[in-house]
Each structure stands twice: as C-alpha cells, then as structure tokens.
Amino acid sequence: MDAGVALSDDGKKRVRNGYGIFEDYSTMAAPDVILTALTGQTFLLFKNLGKGQFQDVTSPSRVGRISSKLSGWGVVFADFDNDGRKDLFTANSHVTDQHRFVFWRRYKEPNLIMAGQKDGTFADVSEASGAPFAMRAAHRGDSRR
C-alpha cells in the first residue's frame, strides 16, 4: 500500500494481482515492477521513483492496451533487439481449458513481445517476431533465472 502498487488508479481502488518480477527496465539503477494478469485485466507496469515509491505507468507505456486481452504467466525484461532498451516478453494462455463454457476467450494464446521505444512506451512486435512467438499454445513460464 505504501509503495503505491496495491490498488488500481482507476478511481475504483480495486486490489491488484498477478505474477511479476522486480527488474530495472528504465535503467535508473533501481528495480521496477511488472505484473501479468488474467483476461479482462491488464498487465501492470510500475516505474521505481526511489525511496520505496512507484508510479503506475501501465497506460502511458501502452502496456495496458497491448495486454488487455491476454492472460500472462511468465514475464521477463531483456534487450531482444540489441538497441540498448529493455523489451518485454510474456508467456500467455488462459488459466483453464474449460473456460469455453464460461468465457468467450480461447485457451491457447500467443506469447507477447513488446519492444521498448525511445519515448518510454512499448510496441507489440509479437507477430513480426514470427513463430514460435506468435503461435497460439498453452504457454506458461518461470521468470526466475
């Protein structure tokens, strides 16, 4: 609560949840926070402001818009295109293959690669990356190294 990552900033103050990691994507020598979420929510990105405080940059970074139709599991920042900026990779799949009885979403989902841009935003380059990234499957992942 004190760090600013527990409740949503949408005025409804909903509890945040998801799988995530602490990693410095903004190259400020302090770990930022990325959390994946389930379908209908968005993945969450928090920039470290220092002194234990974080800023929700989910919307301005475009992470929210890009991720809103996916259920994410494993997540990692890495410079996949060697441009000096951190890119974001998530392994995705709906939580259960029985969802078709309740939800309209598919069980198998593509992985996601978001390329870090100079202005601090991210762009979805998943399809441009080709198979196996764009392939729909029951992806899971583990962010530990």
Side-chain angles (χ1 to χ4, degrees), residues 115-138:
Q117 307 296 298
K118 289 180 183 178
D119 63 359
T121 64
F122 287 87
D124 184 354
V125 296
S126 304
E127 290 192 27
S129 300
F133 297 109
M135 180 180 67
R136 289 183 176 273

Side-chain angles (χ1 to χ4, degrees), residues 8-123:
S8 66
D9 291 339
D10 62 4
K12 298 178 183 175
K13 298 297 179 190
R14 292 180 285 203
V15 175
R16 306 269 191 162
N17 58 60
Y19 298 96
I21 58 171
F22 287 96
E23 189 168 331
D24 182 16
Y25 88 91
S26 60
T27 63
M28 300 296 290
D32 303 296
V33 177
I34 179 74
L35 297 170
T36 61
L38 299 180
T39 303
Q41 302 172 6
T42 64
F43 299 176
L44 304 166
L45 182 60
F46 298 94
K47 186 174 183 178
N48 194 323
L49 300 176
K51 299 183 181 179
Q53 296 298 301
F54 292 84
Q55 177 184 6
D56 185 344
V57 293
T58 302
S59 292
S61 69
R62 299 186 186 145
V63 167
R65 182 175 52 82
I66 295 169
S67 66
S68 66
K69 295 182 180 179
L70 298 170
S71 292
W73 299 95
V75 58
V76 67
F77 282 110
D79 185 7
F80 292 109
D81 55 8
N82 294 316
D83 65 358
R85 290 182 298 276
K86 295 281 181 89
D87 306 308
L88 181 60
F89 170 84
T90 65
N92 306 305
S93 177
H94 197 278
V95 69
T96 175
D97 63 354
Q98 300 299 309
H99 79 287
R100 67 185 174 278
F101 300 113
V102 181
F103 302 105
W104 58 271
R105 300 290 304 160
R106 294 181 184 175
Y107 174 54
K108 296 179 179 181
E109 296 180 349
N111 288 324
L112 179 63
I113 298 179
M114 290 186 253
Q117 307 296 298
K118 289 180 183 178
D119 63 359
T121 64
F122 287 87

